[in-house]
């Protein structure tokens, strides 16, 4: 039989023209395997009956044959001989179909193989061999076809195939790989005989599905039964413990792996690195990595991701370059990690190099790495580059859309964020709660109150997404930005559940901007109740008192801070120049180019003074100590920008990271510097991103 022929021709050659008398019975048959019994090979329910479609077309049935006469014995013998030939012919046909199915699977034509399998189902073929079922199992696994799994297994129970241990393991694997873990567990429990392969399959399936606790429980049962647990099992269970965050059992398994001589297995080593990293023990993770006899791509990725997870961004970047020098091949996961590290470090040069290497090594269309690039460019003021990467992606997932929408919102381009959201919906991508947070934040940052309310109301009505506390906090800030403080307060009171810290913080910020002392004090009291040890809650109220001249009340807040032992720390600002991070603090004198930095800053201050700059010393600076007031002109962000101006070409954007919220005076200074020096400046402070360009900020002076 030629497999190059179209499938419809193959079917027609067998005159496949029957129809179901009752389709619901056929559907029931596919669900029958759930109640199977391995002891009773045949299912109690008979296979659904077929009838010729001629009756459905209104044609008369053929008359029943008359009983044979005495002289017709020879004809009867001939008929019996013909029936025997027909039976043998049907057996040959079944054999041909089975061979055809195996060839189709071998050629990776899985859909056609399952379609051809329908002929065996209709002809009630029972002499199907194990090789054919093996091929059908492969087809179901490759297609992740739950319906195919049910059909194949149901037919196996009705056939004469020997369901030995090997075949039952294959059936178990089929269920596990297609994500049918409830049915897989039932099948596993019903198996009269199991080996280590069976245990590994079900444990691996539970780990892949996220049921770590049950996977660990089954491993303990397996451990009692088998003493020769292999490296694959150790790797799977260590993954489960990483998911559970249980370091003590993980250390015990590490000891067992050392005693059994499998600790240097690459899979065990990589899962140990991942487990120690996720459990917060980066030192032990590094020890495992350093003792690996051969460091693979996965091993490097695991340790780099571990450092990045715990905020050791510079160490992660250093390891990346060490990996690059070792000659180990990098994959898309490596580049996506490094781009995320660069996002945290505001390292444009490192990110651009990673982007170039990603494209050069053939990962230019990878969805994970490209989404990380969209996120990086969006967050650091290069929205045009982010859009270019996004549009060139052959496939886009929900995270890609969310990253770009959030990027437009961060830089005050709310109209474009809303337009992108509408396009996303038109293209059939369903938004989730993260999408709505991104687009509502875009409306909040851009003052699109009417459009924001429309989208907020459509969440539950049109998309069945229940608004969360973060969405209500966003709407509180949207109202507060418009000066509608009473409406914002009413929204907090009417929100489902108890008001959160983010809601009260959004209201307190609005009260600071609009100088509403009474409502601000009430919001601060609610914040004290929810987070009495959070310094920023006191500082915002302190700003309100200073800005309204309430010096006695401000002194009382400072006294409360001292009594609680909350100390306001100096600000630090980071800027990257030529791939090297430079850190500045207020009044810093330690930098080797400090004279040039201060001289340039004095000149810049003189230039912006001609455009109306007057130092604003009346506001208490957020989250910093009192000495900052006497060093207003030498704040850390001013020093970092001055260093950036003298160290980079005039067309280069400056990107800064700051440990605390930017003060009002520095915010005004940076706006004027962006206009006078014609520089784009991006500052990521403790509150949000600020994109300064041509004398204005993306936050609209609301932060």
């Amino acid at each position: 039989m030629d497999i190059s022929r179209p499938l419809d021709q193959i079917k027609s050659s067998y005159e496949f023209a029957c129809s179901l008398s009752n389709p619901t019975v056929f559907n029931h048959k596919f669900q029958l395997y759930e109640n199977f019994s391995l002891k009773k090979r045949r299912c109690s329910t008979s296979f659904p009956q077929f009838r010729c479609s001629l009756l459905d077309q209104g044609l008369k049935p053929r008359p029943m044959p008359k009983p044979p006469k005495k002289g017709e014995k020879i004809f009867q013998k001939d008929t019996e001989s013909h029936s025997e030939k027909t039976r043998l012919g049907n057996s040959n046909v079944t054999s041909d179909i089975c061979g055809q199915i195996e060839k189709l699977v071998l050629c990776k034509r899985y859909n056609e193989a399952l379609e051809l399998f329908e002929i065996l189902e209709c002809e009630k073929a029972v002499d199907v061999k194990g090789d054919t079922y093996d091929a059908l199992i492969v087809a179901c696994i490759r297609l992740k076809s739950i319906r195919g799994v049910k059909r194949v297994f149901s037919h196996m129970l009705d056939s004469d195939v020997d369901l030995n241990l090997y075949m039952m393991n294959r059936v178990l694997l089929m269920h596990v790989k297609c994500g049918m873990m409830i049915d897989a567990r039932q099948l596993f429990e019903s198996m009269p005989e199991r080996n280590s392969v069976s245990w590994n399959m079900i444990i691996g399936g539970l780990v892949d599905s996220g049921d770590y606790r049950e996977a660990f429980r089954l491993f303990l049962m397996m451990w009692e039964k088998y003493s020769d647990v292999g490296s694959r099992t150790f790797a799977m269970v260590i993954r489960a413990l990483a998911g559970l965050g249980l370091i003590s059992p993980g250390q015990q398994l590490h000891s067992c792996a050392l005693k059994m001589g499998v600790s240097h297995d690459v899979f065990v080593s990589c899962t140990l690195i991942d487990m120690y990293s996720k459990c917060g023990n980066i030192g032990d993770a590094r020890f495992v990595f350093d003792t690996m006899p051969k460091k693979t791509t996965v091993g490097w990725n695991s340790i780099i991701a571990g450092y990045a997870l715990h905020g050791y961004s510079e160490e992660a970047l250093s390891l990346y370059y060490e990996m690059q020098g070792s000659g180990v091949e990098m994959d898309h996961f490596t580049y996506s990690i490094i781009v995320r590290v660069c996002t945290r470090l505001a390292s444009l040069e490192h990110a651009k190099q990673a982007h170039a290497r990603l494209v050069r090594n053939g990962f230019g269309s990878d969805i994970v790495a490209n989404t990380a690039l969209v996120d990086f460019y969006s967050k650091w003021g290069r929205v045009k580059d982010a859009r270019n990467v996004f549009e060139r992606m052959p496939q886009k997932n929900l995270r890609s859309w969310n990253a770009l929408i959030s990027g437009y919102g961060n830089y005050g381009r709310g109209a474009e964020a809303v337009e992108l959201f509408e396009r996303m919906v038109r293209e059939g991508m369903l938004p989730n709660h993260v999408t709505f947070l991104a687009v509502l934040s875009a409306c909040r940052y851009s003052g699109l109150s009417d459009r924001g309310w429309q989208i907020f109301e459509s969440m539950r009505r049109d998309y069945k997404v229940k608004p969360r506390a973060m969405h209500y906090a966003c709407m509180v800030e949207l109202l507060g930005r418009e000066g509608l403080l009473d409406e914002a307060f009413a929204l907090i009171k009417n929100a489902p559940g108890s008001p959160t810290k983010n809601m009260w913080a959004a209201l307190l910020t609005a009260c600071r901007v609009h100088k509403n002392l009474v409502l601000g004090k009430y919001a601060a009291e609610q914040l004290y109740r929810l987070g009495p040890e959070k310094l920023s809650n006191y500082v915002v109220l302190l700003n309100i008192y200073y800005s309204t001249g309430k010096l006695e009340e401000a002194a009382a807040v400072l006294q409360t801070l001292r009594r609680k032992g909350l100390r306001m720390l100096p600000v630090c600002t980071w800027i990257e120049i030529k791939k090297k991070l430079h850190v500045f603090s207020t009044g810093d004198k330690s930098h080797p180019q400090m004279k040039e930095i201060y001289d340039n800053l004095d000149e810049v201050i003189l230039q912006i003074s001609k455009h109306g700059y007057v130092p604003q010393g009346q506001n208490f600076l957020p989250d910093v100590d009192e000495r900052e007031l006497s060093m207003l002109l030498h704040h850390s962000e001013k020093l970092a920008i001055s260093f950036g101006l003298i160290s980079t070409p005039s067309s280069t954007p400056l990107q800064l990271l700051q440990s605390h919220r930017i003060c009002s005076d520095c915010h005004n200074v940076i706006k004027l510097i962006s206009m006078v020096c014609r520089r784009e400046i991006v500052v990521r402070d403790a509150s949000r991103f600020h994109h300064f360009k041509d004398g204005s900020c993306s936050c609209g002076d609301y932060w």
Side-chain angles (χ1 to χ4, degrees), residues 508 511-512 516-517 520 539-549:
L508 182 57
C511 293
R512 176 182 62 82
N516 189 321
L517 181 61
V539 172
V540 175
L541 183 61
L542 200 58
N543 272 318
I544 295 177
Y545 285 137
Y546 270 96
S547 63
T548 54

Side-chain angles (χ1 to χ4, degrees), residues 30-131:
F30 290 154
Q31 300 172 358
L32 192 63
Y33 79 98
E34 295 179 0
N35 300 317
F36 76 97
S37 172
L38 293 175
K39 296 179 180 178
K40 186 177 180 181
R41 294 298 307 278
R42 299 285 183 179
C43 296
S44 58
T45 306
S46 60
F47 200 84
Q49 301 298 316
F50 289 84
R51 65 178 181 181
C52 181
S53 61
L54 298 178
L55 291 177
D56 295 336
Q57 300 176 21
L59 301 179
K60 294 183 179 180
R62 180 177 295 179
M64 295 294 291
K66 296 180 180 180
K69 297 180 181 179
K70 292 182 180 179
E72 295 178 342
K73 288 184 179 180
I74 298 175
F75 175 75
Q76 185 176 0
K77 289 180 181 178
D78 292 342
T79 303
E80 291 174 357
S81 176
H82 177 72
S83 299
E84 180 67 18
K85 290 180 180 179
T86 302
R87 186 183 65 79
L88 293 173
N90 288 340
S91 178
N92 291 334
V93 168
T94 300
S95 178
D96 288 344
I97 296 173
C98 290
Q100 188 75 355
I101 288 173
E102 293 170 25
K103 291 178 183 178
L104 287 169
V105 172
L106 192 63
C107 296
K108 299 182 179 181
R109 293 162 63 177
Y110 307 119
N111 278 312
E112 295 176 59
L114 286 179
E115 288 177 17
L116 193 58
F117 175 59
E118 293 177 10
I119 299 175
L120 299 180
E121 293 177 297
C122 292
E123 292 186 355
K124 304 180 184 179
V126 295
D127 53 346
V128 180
K129 305 302 180 185
D131 290 344

Side-chain angles (χ1 to χ4, degrees), residues 238-307:
I238 292 169
R239 274 184 59 203
L241 294 175
L244 292 171
L246 300 176
I247 192 169
S248 181
Q251 290 172 330
Q252 294 178 30
L253 278 180
H254 189 182
S255 299
C256 292
L258 286 168
K259 293 176 182 177
M260 298 180 69
V262 297
S263 61
H264 289 314
D265 179 88
V266 63
F267 297 107
V268 175
S269 296
C270 292
T271 51
L272 281 171
I273 293 170
D274 181 63
M275 184 270 296
Y276 282 125
S277 298
K278 289 180 177 177
C279 293
N281 195 335
I282 194 66
D284 284 347
R286 183 60 185 265
F287 171 78
V288 174
F289 174 76
D290 289 338
T291 56
M292 288 179 69
K294 183 180 179 181
K295 296 175 175 59
T296 61
T297 302
V298 178
W300 281 101
N301 288 346
S302 299
I303 191 64
I304 292 172
Y307 274 103

Side-chain angles (χ1 to χ4, degrees), residues 136-206:
L136 289 168
I137 287 171
V138 172
C140 292
I141 291 174
R142 294 292 183 268
L143 295 174
K144 303 289 183 185
S145 173
I146 294 177
R147 182 174 178 270
V149 172
K150 294 182 178 182
R151 288 171 54 203
V152 171
F153 188 39
S154 179
H155 196 276
M156 290 176 72
L157 293 173
D158 279 342
S159 72
D160 293 329
V161 68
D162 181 20
L163 287 175
N164 53 27
L165 179 58
Y166 168 78
M167 191 56 68
M168 287 305 300
N169 279 339
R170 294 290 291 165
V171 172
L172 180 63
L173 178 67
M174 177 174 64
H175 284 77
V176 168
K177 291 296 184 181
C178 292
M180 304 168 64
M181 288 309 302
I182 295 177
D183 302 316
R185 284 300 309 276
Q186 293 177 354
L187 180 64
F188 178 78
E189 298 295 339
S190 302
M191 289 174 66
E193 183 184 0
R194 290 172 251 180
N195 59 7
S196 60
V197 176
S198 316
W199 286 91
N200 283 334
M201 282 181 189
I202 194 67
I203 292 172
L206 290 168

Side-chain angles (χ1 to χ4, degrees), residues 477-496:
E477 186 168 334
L478 182 65
L479 290 169
R481 191 184 190 97
E482 299 292 318
L484 304 173
L485 301 183
D486 292 336
E487 289 82 350
F489 180 66
L491 182 63
I492 293 175
K493 289 296 186 181
N494 295 327

